[in-house]
Amino acid sequence: SSWTPTGWVRQLGSAWPYCWWGAQGGSDFYLETQVRDNQCAFQKVLRGGWVADARDEDPVSMMWTDGAFSRHNGRGGLWSALTLYMEKVVAIESPRPNRIIPAAVPPIVNKIDAAIARSTLPMPPRPNATTDSSGTIIIPAASYASKNRSASLSVLRSFDGGLQLLHGGCASPVGAPCFEPLTSSWTYNFTASTAGNYYLTANFTTYHYAQDLYVSVNGAPTVEVPVYYPLGWWNQSLPIQVAITAGTNLLEFTRYSVRQLVLKEFFLSTKKPVVPQPPNPYNPPPAPPPAPPGGSYIEVPADTTCATQGIQPIPADLCSHACFALGFKNTGFRARPNISGCFVSTTGKYANDCNFNTNASATCTPPCTLYGAEVRMLCLRS
């Protein structure tokens, strides 16, 4: 979401009831933005919350929604609930504040008006890679050479001029880490006059936490480009060293994470640039180990187990990948009375449903059944 002269609006996402950040849902966030401008009334809302705290009441869940059943609705004590409804009344009765930005008077330039004017012009051509006086190669992110047909890429105008590239994340039927990272890939061609070790950085931003970016240079093994959550600002990634050849080179980028990342330029510097460390707790997260390929999973017969076969059970974070790889319907995590770990129902009403049993104490002697139906364990081949 972002602030505009007409108030807060959603960008590239679902409606307010389906958005969240941490423990606060979109409906609660939007309601608060409508009330804060009425400072006198908002002070009463705050006081109601303080009374609830003083009475040691359970708070209303900030994930509440209007007009739909939700497990988050109906929580909280009396004063907590009254405070929420006071907020809603204030939002309805408060006059809308005037957020219209006054017209710019020359020589002052209104950046919003300028951006709107640019949006009516034809999209400019994508710029070529250049080399500056220090030998740094600058590759515009919008000027990619090729992409996987499944990769989600959009070239957009930047508010401060130029173009930027929006990568929509790796499309994955099982969530992150992406099941087939190569489906997210895109490439750049560029020419270097001198071979040697260069330092690669990216000018990037994202409004999602724990996103990632990986690069392969001229077919070399993939390495991580350490991006992080930059609080919505453009930032430069921490430098990584890569080997560049004289002449034509190829950069191939891939991603495991599934949400948006925006890129403006890539820099290849001959000297290691000084890039400030990102603020805690937004350091680049450790690169997740890649999910095993689809052929790494096996469904064992009903009369045996992973342990009996001398192979490993599938951990919780890979169960959805295994279900998908073996052609079963992943129905998530369930607490079941027997059969442990990742399993599939092979008969009965729920045949083909694949789950991970969260009941760590569940055991059974093969052949195992669940609600009268046969179930089988899924395992790692090695």
Side-chain angles (χ1 to χ4, degrees):
S1 61
S2 61
W3 185 88
T4 72
T6 58
W8 283 90
V9 298
R10 292 173 288 105
Q11 302 284 357
L12 305 173
S14 302
W16 288 115
Y18 308 103
C19 303
W20 73 94
W21 177 254
Q24 186 174 35
S27 296
D28 193 75
F29 167 81
Y30 184 70
L31 177 63
E32 185 175 331
T33 67
Q34 303 306 294
V35 176
R36 277 184 174 273
D37 283 309
N38 189 336
Q39 295 182 8
C40 181
F42 187 60
Q43 186 70 21
K44 296 179 181 179
V45 171
L46 293 176
R47 288 170 180 163
W50 298 337
V51 171
D53 289 342
R55 293 172 59 87
D56 200 25
E57 290 186 358
D58 290 334
V60 169
S61 171
M62 292 191 294
M63 298 293 288
W64 61 266
T65 58
D66 274 326
F69 172 78
S70 170
R71 61 188 176 88
H72 300 287
N73 291 350
R75 297 185 181 183
L78 175 63
W79 277 90
S80 299
L82 289 174
T83 299
L84 174 61
Y85 280 97
M86 182 184 294
E87 273 193 276
K88 294 183 178 183
V89 170
V90 172
I92 294 172
E93 295 182 349
S94 297
R96 297 298 182 202
N98 179 14
R99 296 190 177 98
I100 303 301
I101 299 176
V105 178
I108 298 173
V109 176
N110 185 318
K111 292 182 179 180
I112 293 178
D113 288 344
I116 293 173
R118 285 198 304 271
S119 69
T120 64
L121 302 175
M123 188 71 79
R126 300 181 189 181
N128 296 321
T130 58
T131 303
D132 68 14
S133 58
S134 68
T136 297
I137 301 170
I138 305 168
I139 305 171
S143 302
Y144 60 90
S146 66
K147 77 178 191 73
N148 186 285
R149 63 181 298 177
S150 299
S152 173
L153 294 180
S154 301
V155 176
L156 308 172
R157 297 177 191 271
S158 287
F159 181 78
D160 55 355
L163 300 174
Q164 62 193 42
L165 182 73
L166 170 68
H167 190 282
C170 187
S172 174
V174 293
C178 182
F179 191 76
E180 294 288 352
L182 285 178
T183 61
S184 71
S185 65
W186 74 105
T187 68
Y188 298 90
N189 296 321
F190 67 95
T191 301
S193 58
T194 306
N197 290 326
Y198 286 66
Y199 294 91
L200 173 67
T201 59
N203 185 14
F204 76 98
T205 189
T206 181
Y207 45 92
H208 295 291
Y209 185 65
Q211 297 309 294
D212 62 17
L213 181 65
Y214 295 84
V215 65
S216 169
V217 182
N218 296 326
T222 299
V223 293
E224 184 184 14
V225 180
V227 297
Y228 56 95
Y229 176 57
L231 303 175
W233 299 97
W234 288 106
N235 269 273
Q236 194 170 5
S237 64
L238 300 175
I240 59 171
Q241 185 173 289
V242 296
I244 300 300
T245 61
T248 302
N249 291 264
L250 174 70
L251 300 180
E252 181 178 19
F253 290 93
T254 53
R255 298 184 61 206
Y256 284 85
S257 54
V258 297
R259 296 189 180 275
Q260 295 90 346
L261 180 71
V262 187
L263 300 150
K264 198 159 189 180
E265 299 102 359
F266 297 100
F267 302 93
L268 288 158
S269 307
T270 56
K271 295 182 179 180
K272 187 175 183 178
V274 178
V275 179
Q277 289 288 325
N280 284 323
Y282 305 123
N283 289 313
S296 302
Y297 308 110
I298 185 172
E299 170 196 356
V300 298
D303 61 356
T304 189
T305 66
C306 303
T308 302
Q309 296 298 312
I311 53 181
Q312 294 295 316
I314 293 172
D317 60 336
L318 293 180
C319 187
S320 59
H321 289 74
C323 296
F324 179 75
L326 294 173
F328 302 129
K329 178 184 177 182
N330 175 41
T331 51
F333 294 83
R334 298 286 189 274
R336 298 305 189 207
N338 55 22
I339 193 166
S340 61
C342 191
F343 70 94
V344 62
S345 298
T346 55
T347 63
K349 179 180 178 181
Y350 300 106
N352 212 47
D353 281 8
C354 189
N355 305 126
F356 186 88
N357 189 1
T358 58
N359 180 6
S361 62
T363 59
C364 73
T365 301
C368 297
T369 59
L370 182 64
Y371 307 134
E374 179 185 272
V375 289
R376 300 184 181 187
M377 296 186 74
L378 304 185
C379 314
L380 289 167
R381 288 184 180 271
S382 59

